[in-house]
């Protein structure tokens, strides 16, 4: 074997003899290799020990007298090497010399460019390390895996072709040169990991310190394209402190003048951010940029600033409205909480590293990490301060009437809400925590699914797309049946791919569990079952599973998990199954396919729709089992929805989950430069502003419904939102009726279930109001028809609540309900204000002295005079 072995040393006198003795005793290395030991200024006699070997063996000593630096030592050793294959190992006996041959041979054979002795793959391990060292090493490797595809990127035992060293920058420093090598041409390099047993040193002391770890972290960030460093961070912090002074001063003055919280915090943020930009551009990041103001740079700064500002609004709302912290104190943690967003956004996006160039693939990886983290944080903060939408309140009512299943949906959403509220309380956070966790599970399974189909970079972009397309973002925030459905759909796809494409028999267990849980979430998941059957019939390899028990066991597991729904339907005359059949099968004689395409464009974004069409085209063109899998598991559900849309409109969100099978291909196309050429290039360019616009839209809407936007009234939410404040007003009206009549009224929400559910969730009066839905008047009201069957009569006052005044008029869709009321009064309205005086919406209500189911029955004596 012809190779050069480089061993950097620093005070390793006690290890030189045993190490070199071991190396030169190995028969499988031959005698055509050289050992170059680069000493970094040892003071314990290490050079003297090395010189003893120079006369008898092919050992060379290079003595450095500059500041000790592992990377510089290896670079010097490589420059002096006479062979084209270089191996590197430590001198502390931690790396096994007997693995040198296995490490070097793939590079000598030119089958790989770099080989890495890995502790963290099958067959490798670490022996004798204390827990904290092991934890730090694994953490460092895990962080590096975000930008490279090696499990042990912090290894000091590796081999490479000498020519690769020329790609490393001249100012490369630190103690992990392997990471530099891996990033010089990650997309083209052929890398292999060799398992090794790593042993803790027996002689001498470790050279690693906190400063080394900080240098490594900075090295990692720099290679990822960021300008994060102690230099920029310290200056950024100094500028930030000045900005905080301006921010707080303006905020306190505005709130002192009675200005709303939203206006005050946005105004003070804009003033402070503008000041910060000027100084950061001219001073903090000056070593990376010319310091001249540029419009493109200012645009990026503005984007990051808006993200940080909208996130800060959530923190302020959480502190002020949930924890009742005074606004003058709440501003400080809100500023601190968003400082990290500003700094990292500035380092990676506003003032990124430009030299040496960072690959497009790496920038997409970093974007995926940053955006997924931002979306997760955005959901986490807003989920506890944004009020429930009526749909969420309705499913919360499920959890208050726990059952095996329900009329219009399976029970999973109820079970998750019950568990969340049992742990976190009857509040928005408790209701939504199940959706938040489901969103994380969906991203994890989609990542694994995409990685199996393509590669790690594609998987990261797939998680990014799921986090940013509307149906994916909403499913991780709003607690509806779609949240667990999407998680189960992604999990089922993952296990289906493992079973049908990877031929893993144990994956069928996952298929059964994931499918069973998914069908407990929403019946729509049954379309995956149809797709799986079609794929098995069409694919000759998968067809073999029909003769094996595993698929049938999966079906049995799914049926067992689904059995609560079957039992509930048996006990209730198959009500849910009949309802869903009628729901899908009813004909409206309306061609709604154009409307369906518009819905898809909204659920995927317009760019996402174009990407989906191109991805389907790309899949159809390919002839492979993988393309057949993607085509079938996307196409079958899509065809079903397209056929259904020819006879009537579908629900807006129904098609969302079907795109999970295609998102990996959409993500794969982002990384292609030779697929569909001009269209592909346009698509890759269009995704960036589309993702930015989508995230800004989500953050803007959440800020709008929580704190408001100055100058933008709430007329868009006048019907369906702000039920917390509306319920307080309804309680007040009910109290007035109670004082006038001596009886607490029955509150009736004049909608199918929305009003009654929202009022029930936010009802805090004691005793709680008796809240019903419109089924009181003979109209079906989903589960309210089961929970509150119609009564023959009610001799208490009735308080009707409507989203619109028309809902309280006679001859509405409910019919002539006035005949069922005793002395109905006129339609009234009240303006609903937030505590700071902001107009939120209008409440419409109507009162009556009582209710009789049979209009022909004798009237009840009326003396209350309710109006």
């Amino acid at each position: 074997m012809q190779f050069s072995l480089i061993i950097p040393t620093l005070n390793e006198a006690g290890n030189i003899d045993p190490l070199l003795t071991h190396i030169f005793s190995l028969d499988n290395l031959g005698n055509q290799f050289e050992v170059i030991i680069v000493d970094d200024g040892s003071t314990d006699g290490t050079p003297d020990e090395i010189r003893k070997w120079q006369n008898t063996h092919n050992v060379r000593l290079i003595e450095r007298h500059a500041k000790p630096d592992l990377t510089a030592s290896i670079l010097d050793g490589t420059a002096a090497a006479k062979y084209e294959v270089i191996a590197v190992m430590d001198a502390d006996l931690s790396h096994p010399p007997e693995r040198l041959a296995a490490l070097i041979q793939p590079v000598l054979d030119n089958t790989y460019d770099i080989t890495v002795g890995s502790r963290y793959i099958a067959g490798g391990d670490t022996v004798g390390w204390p827990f904290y060292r092991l934890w730090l090493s694994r953490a460092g490797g895990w962080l590096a895996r975000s930008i490279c595809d090696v499990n042990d990127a912090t290894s000091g035992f590796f081999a490479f072709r000498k020519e690769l060293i020329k790609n490393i920058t001249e100012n490369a420093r630190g103690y992990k040169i392997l990471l530099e090598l891996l990033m010089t041409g990650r997309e083209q390099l052929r890398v292999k990991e060799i398992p090794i047993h790593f042993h803790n040193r027996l002689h001498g002391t470790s050279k690693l310190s906190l400063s080394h770890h900080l240098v490594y972290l900075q090295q990692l960030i720099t290679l990822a394209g960021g300008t994060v460093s102690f230099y920029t961070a310290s200056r950024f912090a100094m500028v930030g402190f000045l900005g905080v002074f301006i921010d707080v001063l303006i905020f306190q003055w505005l709130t002192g003048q009675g200005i709303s919280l939203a206006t005050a915090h946005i105004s003070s943020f804009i003033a402070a951010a503008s000041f910060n930009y000027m100084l950061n551009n001219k001073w903090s990041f000056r070593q990376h940029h010319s310091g001249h103001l540029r419009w493109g740079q200012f645009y990026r700064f503005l984007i990051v600033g808006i993200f940080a500002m909208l996130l800060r609004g959530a923190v302020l709302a959480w502190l002020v409205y949930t924890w009742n912290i005074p606004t003058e104190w709440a501003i400080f943690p809100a500023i601190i909480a968003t400082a990290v967003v500003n700094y990292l956004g500035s380092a990676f996006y506003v003032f990124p590293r430009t030299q040496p160039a960072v690959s497009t693939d790496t920038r997409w990886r970093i974007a995926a990490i940053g955006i997924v983290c931002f979306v997760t944080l955005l959901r986490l903060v807003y989920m506890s301060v944004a009020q429930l939408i009526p749909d969420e309140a309705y499913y919360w009512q499920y959890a208050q009437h726990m059952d095996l299943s329900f009329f219009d949906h399976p029970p999973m959403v109820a079970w998750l809400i019950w568990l969340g509220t049992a742990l976190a309380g009857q509040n928005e956070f408790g209701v939504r925590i199940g959706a938040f966790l489901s969103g994380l599970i969906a991203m994890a399974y989609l990542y694994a699914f995409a990685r199996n189909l393509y590669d790690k970079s594609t998987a990261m972009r797939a998680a990014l797309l799921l986090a940013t397309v509307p149906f994916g973002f909403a499913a991780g925030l709003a607690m509806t049946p779609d949240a667990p459905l999407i998680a189960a759909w992604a999990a089922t796809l993952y296990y289906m791919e493992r079973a049908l494409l990877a031929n893993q028999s144990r994956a069928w267990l996952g298929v059964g569990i994931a499918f069973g849980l998914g069908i407990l979430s929403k019946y729509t998941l049954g379309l995956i079952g149809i797709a799986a059957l079609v794929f098995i019939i069409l694919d000759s390899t998968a067809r073999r599973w029909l003769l094996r028990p595993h698929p049938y066991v999966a079906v049995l597991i799914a049926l067992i998990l689904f059995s609560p729904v079957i039992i509930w339907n048996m006990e209730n005359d198959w009500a849910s199954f009949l309802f869903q059949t009628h729901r899908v099968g009813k004909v409206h004689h309306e061609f709604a396919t154009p409307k369906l395409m518009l819905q898809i464009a909204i659920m995927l974004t317009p760019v996402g729709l174009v990407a989906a069409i191109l991805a389907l085209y790309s899949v159809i063109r390919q002839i492979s089992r993988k393309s057949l899998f993607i085509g079938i598991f996307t196409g079958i559900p899509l065809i079903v929805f397209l056929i259904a849309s020819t006879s009537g409109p579908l629900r807006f969100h129904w098609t969302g989950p079907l795109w999970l099978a295609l998102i990996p291909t959409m993500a794969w196309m982002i990384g292609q430069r030779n697929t569909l050429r001009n269209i592909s290039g346009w698509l890759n360019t269009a995704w960036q502003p589309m993702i930015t616009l989508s995230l800004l839209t989500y953050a803007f809407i959440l800020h709008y419904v929580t704190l408001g936007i100055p100058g933008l009234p709430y007329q868009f939410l006048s019907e369906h939102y702000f039920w917390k404040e509306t319920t307080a007003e309804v309680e007040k009206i009910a109290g007035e009726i109670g004082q006038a009549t001596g009886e607490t009224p029955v509150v009736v929400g004049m909608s199918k279930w929305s009003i009654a559910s929202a009022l029930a969730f936010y009802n805090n009066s004691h005793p709680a109001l008796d809240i019903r839905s419109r089924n009181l008047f003979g109209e079906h009201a989903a589960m309210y028809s089961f929970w509150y069957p119609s009564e023959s009569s009610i001799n208490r006052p009735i308080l009707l609540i409507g989203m619109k005044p028309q809902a309280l008029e006679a001859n509405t869709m409910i019919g002539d309900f006035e005949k069922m009321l005793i002395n109905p009064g006129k339609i009234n309205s009240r303006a609903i204000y937030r505590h700071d005086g902001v107009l939120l919406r209008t409440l419409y209500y109507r009162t009556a002295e009582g209710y009789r189911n049979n209009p022909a029955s004798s009237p009840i004596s009326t003396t209350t005079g309710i109006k």
Side-chain angles (χ1 to χ4, degrees):
M1 289 185 175
Q2 293 184 339
F3 67 94
S4 298
L5 175 61
I6 299 173
I7 305 175
T9 59
L10 177 60
N11 296 328
E12 299 287 357
N15 292 321
I16 296 300
D17 283 347
L19 175 63
L20 294 180
T21 299
H22 195 166
I23 291 173
F24 286 106
S25 67
L26 295 171
D27 295 331
N28 57 2
L29 294 182
N31 56 9
Q32 297 187 42
F33 67 93
E34 64 175 346
V35 176
I36 302 174
I37 302 180
V38 185
D39 189 73
D40 235 352
S42 296
T43 58
D44 66 342
T46 298
D48 296 332
E49 293 296 323
I50 297 169
R51 291 188 187 98
K52 295 177 183 178
W53 286 82
Q54 284 184 300
N55 296 328
T56 57
H57 294 79
N58 194 5
V59 175
R60 283 194 285 165
L61 170 65
I62 298 176
E63 295 186 80
R64 295 184 69 252
H65 300 288
K67 181 181 178 180
D69 186 272
L70 184 60
T71 293
S73 297
I74 295 173
L75 289 175
D76 287 352
T78 303
K82 68 178 182 180
Y83 295 118
E84 292 303 311
V85 174
I86 308 294
V88 178
M89 70 184 302
D90 291 345
D92 59 3
L93 305 178
S94 59
H95 297 142
E98 61 272 12
R99 296 294 288 167
L100 271 170
L103 188 75
I104 296 165
Q105 193 62 54
V107 183
L108 285 172
D109 295 343
N110 199 30
T111 54
Y112 290 93
D113 302 306
I114 299 176
T115 52
V116 180
S118 179
R119 297 160 288 183
Y120 306 132
I121 63 173
D125 61 10
T126 299
V127 181
W129 253 13
F131 175 77
Y132 78 93
R133 286 285 304 276
L134 182 61
W135 183 87
L136 284 173
S137 175
R138 283 195 171 274
W142 182 82
L143 289 172
R145 290 178 67 183
S146 62
I147 60 173
C148 69
D149 298 331
V150 173
N151 292 282
D152 194 358
T154 61
S155 174
F157 189 43
F158 55 93
F160 61 95
R161 289 185 294 108
K162 184 178 179 180
E163 65 186 52
L164 297 178
I165 210 74
K166 65 185 179 184
N167 298 323
I168 295 181
T169 57
E170 295 180 358
N171 60 348
R173 293 295 181 266
Y175 72 102
K176 294 302 176 186
I177 190 174
L178 174 60
L179 190 58
E180 296 270 359
L181 280 171
L182 292 170
M183 293 303 297
T184 56
R186 179 178 53 77
E187 297 176 57
Q188 292 79 34
L189 289 177
R190 299 165 298 170
V191 182
K192 181 179 183 179
E193 292 187 80
I194 308 294
I196 64 168
H197 296 287
F198 182 92
H199 295 270
N200 196 16
R201 64 164 58 239
L202 298 177
H203 306 287
T205 59
S206 173
K207 312 304 184 297
L208 293 183
S209 64
L210 177 60
S211 63
H212 286 93
H213 294 297
L214 293 177
V215 168
Y216 168 72
L217 187 60
Q218 180 178 332
Q219 177 189 22
L220 191 64
I221 294 174
T222 300
L223 291 172
T227 51
V228 175
S229 65
F230 177 78
Y231 174 89
T232 59
S234 59
R235 291 195 169 200
F236 187 90
M238 293 175 66
V239 171
F241 280 122
L242 294 175
V244 168
F245 178 77
I246 295 173
D247 197 344
V248 172
L249 185 66
I250 295 175
F251 179 82
Q252 304 288 22
W253 181 78
L254 290 174
T255 53
Q257 299 298 312
I259 303 298
S260 69
L261 185 60
T263 302
H265 108 82
I266 291 175
S267 301
S268 65
F269 182 90
I270 292 174
S274 300
F275 171 81
N276 287 0
Y277 173 75
M278 297 290 291
L279 282 187
N280 284 329
N281 186 64
K282 290 286 187 179
W283 188 54
S284 301
F285 296 93
R286 182 61 183 270
Q287 72 176 30
H288 303 283
H289 297 275
S290 63
H292 299 293
L293 293 174
R294 293 190 293 269
W295 282 112
Q297 193 180 77
F298 182 77
Y299 162 78
R300 295 194 298 270
F301 158 78
L302 189 62
I303 294 297
V304 171
I306 293 174
F307 278 135
M309 180 187 70
L310 296 175
L311 182 63
R312 185 171 90 161
V315 177
L316 266 176
W318 181 66
L319 294 172
V320 174
Y321 297 149
T322 303
W323 292 94
N324 298 315
I325 296 176
T327 55
E328 60 267 22
W329 292 108
I331 188 63
F332 289 101
I335 290 173
I336 295 172
T338 52
V340 174
V341 175
N342 262 327
Y343 178 59
L344 293 178
S346 296
F348 282 98
Y349 187 56
V350 183
F351 308 102
R353 182 170 68 86
T354 56
Q355 293 296 329
V358 178
S359 70
T360 301
D361 183 72
T362 298
R363 293 205 181 277
W364 270 108
R365 286 191 177 203
I366 298 304
I369 294 170
I371 289 173
V372 167
C373 288
F374 178 80
V375 166
T376 302
L377 184 60
L378 196 68
R379 289 171 176 167
L380 186 62
V381 177
Y382 273 110
M383 64 189 282
S384 61
V385 294
Q387 295 183 28
L388 298 188
I389 60 175
D391 299 68
E392 293 175 293
Y394 176 55
Y395 300 124
W396 170 81
Q397 277 283 57
Y398 275 19
Q400 310 314 301
H401 303 81
M402 286 295 290
D403 208 337
L404 293 176
S405 190
F406 300 91
F407 171 72
D408 40 357
H409 284 294
M412 181 60 72
V413 64
W415 297 351
L416 290 176
I417 292 175
W418 178 87
L419 181 60
T421 52
L423 295 174
Q426 300 290 342
N427 50 51
E428 290 88 349
F429 183 87
V431 171
R432 291 181 173 135
I433 185 62
F436 177 78
L437 296 176
S438 293
L440 297 181
I441 292 171
M443 278 194 289
Y445 270 111
L446 185 66
Y447 172 88
F449 174 60
R451 186 168 185 176
N452 290 337
L453 290 177
Y454 295 101
D455 52 56
K456 182 176 179 178
S457 294
T458 298
M460 295 179 74
R461 294 194 294 269
L464 163 66
L465 293 183
L466 181 60
T468 53
V469 295
F471 85 87
F473 178 85
L477 177 64
M479 189 65 251
T480 68
D482 289 307
L485 169 68
I486 288 177
W489 197 299
T492 304
L493 284 173
Y494 168 79
Y495 291 116
M496 281 286 188
E497 186 277 332
R498 292 288 84 191
L500 296 176
L501 295 186
N503 202 36
Q504 294 180 0
S505 57
R506 63 182 179 181
W508 286 107
L509 176 62
V511 169
I513 295 173
F515 189 85
L517 295 177
I519 208 75
L520 279 175
S521 303
K522 208 169 181 180
Y523 299 131
T524 315
L525 192 74
L527 294 174
I528 283 192
I530 300 174
L533 182 59
V534 171
F535 180 84
I536 290 175
I537 292 173
L538 294 179
D539 183 73
S540 58
T541 302
R543 208 176 301 144
R544 300 169 187 170
W545 285 111
L546 295 175
L547 301 178
R548 301 174 67 182
H550 304 83
Y552 306 104
V553 172
V555 171
L556 179 61
I557 292 172
L559 282 174
I560 293 173
L561 291 173
F562 188 61
S563 60
V565 178
I566 299 174
I567 295 171
W568 186 91
N569 274 273
M570 290 174 61
E571 294 175 345
N572 290 274
D573 298 323
W574 309 102
S576 182
F577 292 160
L578 292 173
F579 167 69
Q580 296 295 343
T581 303
H582 173 72
R583 193 181 190 184
V584 176
K586 62 183 178 181
V587 178
H588 295 274
H589 302 292
E590 175 186 348
F591 183 71
T593 302
K595 186 182 294 185
L596 175 65
M597 298 307 296
L598 177 61
Q599 293 173 351
I600 292 174
I602 296 174
M603 297 296 287
L604 285 176
T605 74
V607 174
L609 175 59
V610 175
I613 294 172
L614 292 177
L616 277 173
Y617 175 71
S618 174
V619 166
I620 292 172
R621 289 176 58 197
Q622 299 175 25
I623 302 176
S624 67
R625 299 185 69 230
K626 179 175 74 175
S627 62
L628 179 64
F629 182 93
I630 297 170
I632 292 295
F633 279 85
T634 302
I636 293 298
L638 180 60
I639 290 171
V640 171
F641 288 128
L642 286 173
I643 293 174
S645 70
T646 60
S647 58
L650 305 179
R651 292 297 177 93
F652 187 83
H653 51 87
W654 282 4
T655 61
L658 76 87
W659 303 109
L660 290 172
L662 194 63
I663 284 179
T665 305
M666 295 162 60
W668 171 78
M669 291 184 66
I670 292 177
Q672 303 306 303
R673 292 292 179 268
N674 55 356
T675 304
L676 303 179
R677 297 182 181 178
N678 294 335
I679 297 178
S680 180
W682 171 86
L683 190 62
N684 292 339
T685 303
W687 265 123
Q688 298 176 40
M690 191 74 257
I691 289 171
T692 301
L693 180 62
S694 296
L695 292 177
L696 284 175
T697 301
Y698 307 147
F700 181 89
I701 291 174
L702 290 169
H703 192 286
Y704 175 61
V705 301
T706 303
L707 279 178
I709 301 293
L712 188 62
Y714 280 122
Q715 62 188 45
F716 307 105
L717 301 173
S718 58
E719 297 178 21
H720 299 281
Y721 204 65
F722 298 121
W723 285 104
K724 183 176 184 179
E725 294 82 359
T726 303
T727 303
E729 194 65 29
V730 170
E731 292 173 349
K732 187 184 298 183
I733 296 171
E736 294 170 0
I737 295 174
Q739 289 181 352
T741 65
E743 295 180 299
T744 302
V746 174
V747 180
V748 181
M750 298 299 284
S751 67
K752 193 172 185 179
W753 42 255
S754 299
I755 298 175
S757 300
L759 292 176
F761 181 81
Y762 286 111
N763 176 212
N764 293 316
S765 60
H766 300 286
L769 297 176
D770 184 359
I771 300 172
R772 310 289 182 87
S773 191
R774 71 184 191 187
N775 65 296
L776 190 69
F777 303 108
E779 187 75 15
H780 197 279
M783 280 306 302
Y784 276 89
S785 298
F786 290 82
W787 296 330
Y788 304 104
S790 297
E791 301 179 30
S792 58
S793 64
I794 297 176
N795 57 5
R796 285 190 290 152
I798 304 293
L799 174 58
L800 307 178
I801 305 296
M803 292 183 180
K804 298 179 180 180
Q806 294 87 338
L808 302 176
E809 296 174 353
N811 299 315
T812 63
M813 62 179 294
I814 302 178
D816 194 2
F817 65 89
E818 283 188 346
K819 295 180 180 179
M820 303 181 192
L821 296 174
I822 301 172
N823 289 346
K826 66 178 182 178
I827 299 174
N828 298 288
S829 65
R830 289 193 186 184
I832 307 297
Y833 294 91
R834 199 163 55 198
H835 59 83
D836 56 3
V838 175
L839 177 64
L840 299 177
R841 58 172 295 169
T842 302
L843 166 66
Y844 300 98
Y845 68 97
R846 192 176 185 182
T847 60
E849 295 182 7
Y851 157 87
R852 55 177 178 266
N853 197 353
N854 181 4
S857 62
S858 300
I860 300 176
S861 174
T862 58
T863 58
T864 58
I866 299 174
K867 301 297 183 185

